[in-house]
Amino acid sequence: MDWPDGHCKYVYHDDSEEARRHNSGWAMRNTNNHNVNILKKSCLGVLVCSLRCRMEESATVHLRPAICDKARKKQLGKSCPNPRCDGILELQPCRGHCGYPVTHFWRHVDGYVFFQAKGVHDHPRPEMKASAEARRHQFGTKENRHPLVGHSAPLSMSILIELFSS
DNA sequence: AGTTGCGGGAAGC
DNA sequence: GCTTCCCGCAACT
Ligand SMILES: [Zn+2]
Ligand SMILES: [Zn+2]
């Protein structure tokens, strides 16, 4: 993961796993732009502690939001992973692109993958995907599950296509 | 159970 | 017409 941020463009080789799987490190979800040639994704932000606590190593709580809407809703309201904190998890949405989530664009051409980002994330990085998966499996069992705590539940596309062309 | 990409439909402009 | 978001589906892990 190289955590690209800000308005930037990169070209990856097709043999790069990151590029082939369209992974930037940020928690991005697919969004329909009615263009099969350009894959668009928007940032989901990060899960933070409602009390903004700090762990021993002065590290903040910044968990990775689930991509799936249903799974993400289940994360909200769970207790803070810090055992000495009574806070609950809440979503800090991304507003890094004119008040809206940062967007990523991926285009596959020949043996290359063209990447472009729009916006600057206004939130901490979420944990890496592998870390989030480990957390899922660790706390996903009935015995170890965190208790639920009360919860109620620009540039135009035409220009972008031109930038990507040739 | 969760991730990923596709695509229909609706809405704002 | 162009762009964006919402939501369901299917394939895969
Ligand atoms: Zn906390
Ligand atoms: Zn973001």
Side-chain angles (χ1 to χ4, degrees):
Chain A
M1 313 285 185
D2 48 9
W3 304 100
D5 204 356
H7 291 69
C8 55
K9 294 193 282 185
Y10 293 107
V11 181
Y12 299 90
H13 251 120
D14 211 354
D15 56 9
S16 158
E17 278 294 308
E18 318 257 339
R20 201 167 38 237
R21 302 188 311 201
H22 313 129
N23 288 331
S24 64
W26 302 95
M28 310 293 292
R29 74 162 159 198
N30 172 292
T31 180
N32 187 12
N33 62 348
H34 293 277
N35 186 337
V36 195
N37 298 315
I38 299 179
L39 178 64
K40 178 183 178 182
K41 292 186 162 192
S42 58
C43 183
L44 287 167
V46 64
L47 289 177
V48 297
C49 170
S50 59
L51 299 181
R52 303 297 192 276
C53 71
R54 287 183 163 269
M55 310 286 258
E56 326 278 340
E57 316 80 25
S58 83
T60 57
V61 175
H62 44 81
L63 303 192
R64 188 179 189 82
I67 306 300
C68 170
D69 290 349
K70 198 171 158 187
R72 193 170 55 261
K73 279 168 189 165
K74 288 197 298 184
Q75 293 176 313
L76 305 182
K78 284 192 175 180
S79 61
C80 173
N82 181 350
R84 300 188 290 103
C85 174
D86 293 328
I88 59 175
L89 294 180
E90 63 183 23
L91 183 66
Q92 181 181 351
C94 180
R95 299 204 174 91
H97 185 217
C98 304
Y100 291 96
V102 169
T103 49
H104 287 175
F105 300 86
W106 300 86
R107 189 184 185 205
H108 183 272
V109 169
D110 287 330
Y112 297 93
V113 180
F114 292 76
F115 169 84
Q116 179 168 359
K118 291 167 167 273
V120 182
H121 297 276
D122 59 343
H123 56 84
R125 294 175 179 179
E127 59 183 348
M128 292 180 300
K129 195 161 63 174
S131 173
E133 277 178 23
R135 187 181 300 278
R136 273 211 320 261
H137 290 88
Q138 180 180 359
F139 297 111
T141 64
K142 282 170 186 169
E143 302 76 40
N144 298 331
R145 179 146 37 210
H146 281 303
L148 277 171
V149 184
H151 104 273
S152 54
L155 285 174
S156 75
M157 180 58 70
S158 317
I159 294 178
L160 182 64
I161 293 174
E162 268 196 39
L163 289 173
F164 272 135
S165 303
S166 84

